[in-house]
Amino acid sequence: MYTHQEALSALPKFPIGLKEAPISRISLGKLLAKDESESARLFSSCQTYGFFYMDLTDCSEGKELLKQSDQIRELAKAAFHLPWEDKDAVSQAKTGNLFGFKAAGMVASTDQHKRKDKGEMWNMSKNDMLRDKPKVAYVSV
């Protein structure tokens, strides 16, 4: 499995001399420990720039979340590599459902020029992921 750390180390080095945005790095470990200073930094980041980096590497809860995100990435890779027939069987175009597979080449109804997109995607209901038996039929991976 390709881990979070391997993914980070595969990125190119940040260019020297390129201006960086002052984005705060917030510690999940400190937030879970109810660190008032870290909570204030989080609040300030939300008020100023509206976003921040969440450091998930400094506590067991964060490390578990990173592990689960690695597992989801592997599941996504497997799903996108399924045969076309399997993906097409649960496609949004065939089922008329918001959830399922969306093939590349669809035309966005909001595009006045009617250009086809170039991206595939899977859309799954959060509730279906959390329950034992999904309401929507998805392909098995």
Side-chain angles (χ1 to χ4, degrees), residues 75-83 86-92 98-103 120-125 137-141:
L75 178 63
K77 283 186 349 189
F80 280 108
H81 285 94
L82 286 169
D86 292 348
K87 295 187 279 189
D88 189 47
V90 292
S91 72
Q92 295 172 344
L98 174 64
F99 301 113
F101 176 72
K102 187 210 69 72
E120 294 182 327
M121 77 169 197
W122 284 93
N123 190 15
M124 286 187 72
S125 160
Y138 300 102
V139 65
S140 293
V141 177

Side-chain angles (χ1 to χ4, degrees), residues 23-46 52-56 58:
I23 302 172
S24 298
R25 184 176 179 137
I26 305 297
S27 163
L28 178 60
K30 289 180 181 179
L31 291 175
L32 292 174
K34 302 195 183 327
D35 182 292
E36 289 186 24
S37 173
E38 199 71 0
S39 294
R41 289 184 62 238
L42 172 62
F43 188 66
S44 175
S45 295
C46 291
F52 51 87
Y53 293 118
M54 180 64 69
D55 182 0
L56 302 175
D58 65 346

Side-chain angles (χ1 to χ4, degrees), residues 58-101:
D58 65 346
C59 63
S60 60
E61 294 89 345
K63 289 176 183 175
E64 178 61 25
L65 186 57
L66 288 172
K67 178 181 160 192
Q68 290 175 7
S69 71
D70 288 336
Q71 292 169 342
I72 289 171
R73 185 179 60 247
E74 292 301 314
L75 178 63
K77 283 186 349 189
F80 280 108
H81 285 94
L82 286 169
W84 170 253
E85 297 77 28
D86 292 348
K87 295 187 279 189
D88 189 47
V90 292
S91 72
Q92 295 172 344
K94 275 199 173 165
T95 64
N97 194 320
L98 174 64
F99 301 113
F101 176 72

Side-chain angles (χ1 to χ4, degrees), residues 127-139:
N127 291 339
D128 278 352
M129 286 192 273
L130 297 175
R131 68 170 64 100
D132 291 332
K133 187 171 182 187
K135 287 185 177 180
V136 176
Y138 300 102
V139 65

